[in-house]
Amino acid sequence: LGELLAENKAKKQEQFEEMVHANRYCPPKALDEDEEAFLIEKDAERRAAEKARKESEKEASNLYRMAVAQQDAKKDEDLDLAKLMGQAKDKKK
């Protein structure tokens, strides 16, 4: 009985090693249609999300630039007004 178990164990080990060796050198299996469609769908989703993110960043950047430009314009307007007020005061003196 011990010899029979040892023989079976050796056969199974040999089969396992042959299977591992054979699988190591075989090319990977090709994708089936479902797998390919799934990957294409996920890639399209990723691209759409990236496009939306870029558009959002561009819009936020434009809003920031407009706000800075408005602040600069207001500062310039205030400076011009202050200069005019200063000139008006100088003329009164």
Side-chain angles (χ1 to χ4, degrees):
L1 182 63
E3 290 176 12
L4 185 59
L5 288 174
E7 256 181 57
N8 285 341
K9 184 177 178 181
K11 284 181 185 178
K12 285 184 182 181
Q13 183 65 27
E14 186 177 317
Q15 288 174 349
F16 175 77
E17 288 175 5
E18 286 177 9
M19 183 181 67
V20 168
H21 182 72
N23 286 339
R24 188 180 310 159
Y25 297 107
C26 69
K29 70 175 187 120
L31 297 175
D32 63 14
E33 291 177 11
D34 291 338
E35 292 170 328
E36 184 179 1
F38 174 78
L39 292 175
I40 290 172
E41 179 183 337
K42 289 298 175 184
D43 189 49
E45 289 175 4
R46 182 189 56 79
R47 287 179 191 217
E50 180 69 18
K51 183 178 179 182
R53 183 189 62 79
K54 285 183 179 181
E55 288 175 1
S56 175
E57 287 178 356
K58 185 176 181 180
E59 183 178 340
S61 177
N62 287 340
L63 288 173
Y64 175 77
R65 286 187 189 126
M66 287 174 43
V68 168
Q70 286 176 347
Q71 286 179 348
D72 288 346
K74 181 153 176 54
K75 286 179 185 176
D76 290 344
E77 186 178 294
D78 290 345
L79 288 174
D80 289 343
L81 184 60
K83 286 179 183 177
L84 288 174
M85 296 288 281
Q87 289 175 358
K89 287 181 183 177
D90 289 341
K91 287 182 181 180
K92 286 182 182 179
K93 289 183 180 180

